[in-house]
Structures are given as structure tokens and as C-alpha cells.
Amino acid sequence: QSDNGGGVHISYCNPTLESLIISGNNGTDGGGMYIKGSEPTIVNVLIEGNSADNWGGGILSNASSPTLTLVTIANNQAVFGGGIFCYEDELATMNLDRVTIVNNTSNYPGGGGVDTSGGGIQVHAHGNIILTNSIVKGNLPHEVVLQNITYTYISIPSITFSYSDIFGGQEGIAVYDGTVTWGDGNIFVDPLFTDQENGDYTIQENSPCID
């Protein structure tokens, strides 16, 4: 357990993390991984079963531009951003390619009983994410949320989807502040995981996500 980054803490450096399992960690922010002011390269990594007391059960990205390729972010939990929480620098962008974000949860009930927390992805206050060739499914209470929680910034969070499967489409995305851009090639259907209930997030031979 750690205040920032229960499993991995990356601060003002640009490492490469490859072929790792980051599992069963807890942090105040960034249960699996905390990234600040950095541009790490993360390849073939499983981030599963981590929790954060506040933000980013799987990953918290603070003013950083990480590149994630062939990464699975599953079964993580936080108050805000069960899978990913991204914020605080309009010049920084998370780039996600062939990333699966599944079965993550967040649990902050907002004002008036409306839950404003993103189970899969939460983008806040200048945060930017580009998602390509990826799958987002089964995250609660929303697949994706864009919101400025503190209102201490001019809020311009953004997310761009291309050639990705966002289960439920626009109905799974809650935009309180910010911009969603739909690029080419997106679908909004069941990706047909091999065995989602038992943690096998490979896709079946007849999955609509192939090619």
C-alpha cells in the first residue's frame, strides 16, 4: 500500500514497463500505477484487482503522456476512475492502443443521487485520452465519464475513440464537461470475450472486434 501508486510509482521519468502483472495493490491515488509528469511506455501489461481510496484504481495519470499497448485493465476499483483516472495538463495525452478496459468500478454518488464517477475511464480537468483498437466493456456505473470534479480549472477534458468497441455506445458515456470525438471505425456491441466471468478477456473467433 502507498499514498500514490500502490503497485508502481512513476514520477518525472520515462521508463519502459513490459510483460508485467500489477495486481492486488492499494493506494490513496493510483492503486495499480501512479504516473506524474512522465512519458512511460507500457507494453503487454495486466493491471488487475487494484484499488484506490480516491482516484484511479488501475492507473492515475497526472499531467503525463503514457503510451499503453496491449494492456488489460480489469477488476480495479476507486471512488473516481475505477480503471483509469486522467487529469491536469492540456498538453499531455494518454495514448491507448489495443487496450482492454473491463469490469472496473467506481463508487462516488454525486449530488442529487446522480453517480458522476467513471467505472472504466474518468477524464478530468484538461485530461486527454486517445483510444485506438481497444475495447471498453462492463465498467460501472459508466464506461466513461468526462467531468471537472473540483472546478478549480477551466475544464476541457477530452477523449477520442477510433476503431474501438465501446459497449453501449454513447449511452455508456457521461459528459458533464468536455468533448468526446468519434473517429473512424468504432462499434458498440458485445466484443464476445472468451470467458469474461472467469477473467479470460481474449476474444472469440467470431468476435466483431477481429480486424
Side-chain angles (χ1 to χ4, degrees), residues 35 43 147 194 206 211:
I35 307 169
V43 182
Q147 184 189 29
T194 300
N206 59 337
D211 297 328

Side-chain angles (χ1 to χ4, degrees), residues 2-203:
S2 173
D3 287 343
N4 294 325
V8 176
H9 181 108
I10 299 170
S11 184
Y12 300 103
C13 60
N14 306 313
T16 296
L17 280 66
E18 188 170 358
S19 300
L20 299 176
I21 296 174
I22 301 169
S23 178
N25 304 285
N26 174 260
T28 303
D29 297 314
M33 184 180 301
Y34 180 93
I35 307 169
K36 183 173 183 179
S38 300
E39 298 181 8
T41 299
I42 302 166
V43 182
N44 189 28
V45 172
L46 172 63
I47 302 170
E48 183 174 27
N50 304 284
S51 63
D53 299 335
N54 294 319
W55 300 346
I59 297 176
L60 185 145
S61 179
N62 177 355
S64 295
S65 293
T67 298
L68 280 65
T69 306
L70 296 170
V71 173
T72 297
I73 302 170
N75 301 306
N76 302 285
Q77 185 274 329
V79 176
F80 297 103
I84 294 173
F85 190 95
C86 172
Y87 77 117
E88 204 179 88
D89 191 340
E90 68 270 30
L91 301 179
T93 300
M94 293 188 75
N95 287 281
L96 281 61
D97 182 18
R98 289 165 287 169
V99 173
T100 298
I101 302 169
V102 57
N103 286 359
N104 302 283
T105 58
S106 58
N107 56 9
Y108 176 76
V114 178
D115 199 318
T116 57
S117 53
I121 300 171
Q122 186 145 355
V123 194
H124 163 66
H126 299 311
N128 302 289
I129 293 180
I130 296 175
L131 199 76
T132 308
N133 301 317
S134 296
I135 299 172
V136 182
K137 185 198 175 191
N139 304 283
L140 296 172
H142 304 286
E143 304 287 0
V144 178
V145 163
L146 280 74
Q147 184 189 29
N148 184 349
I149 297 170
T150 62
Y151 294 96
T152 56
Y153 316 80
I154 299 172
S155 178
I156 51 170
S158 69
I159 190 165
T160 300
F161 301 104
S162 298
Y163 300 100
S164 293
D165 186 358
I166 312 302
F167 187 64
Q170 295 187 21
E171 292 184 2
I173 299 175
V175 181
Y176 299 95
D177 302 284
T179 302
V180 177
T181 300
W182 295 102
D184 294 332
N186 295 297
I187 57 177
F188 313 109
V189 298
D190 191 334
L192 299 181
F193 292 125
T194 300
D195 190 357
Q196 179 173 341
E197 291 185 0
N198 291 301
D200 185 349
Y201 304 117
T202 59
I203 53 178

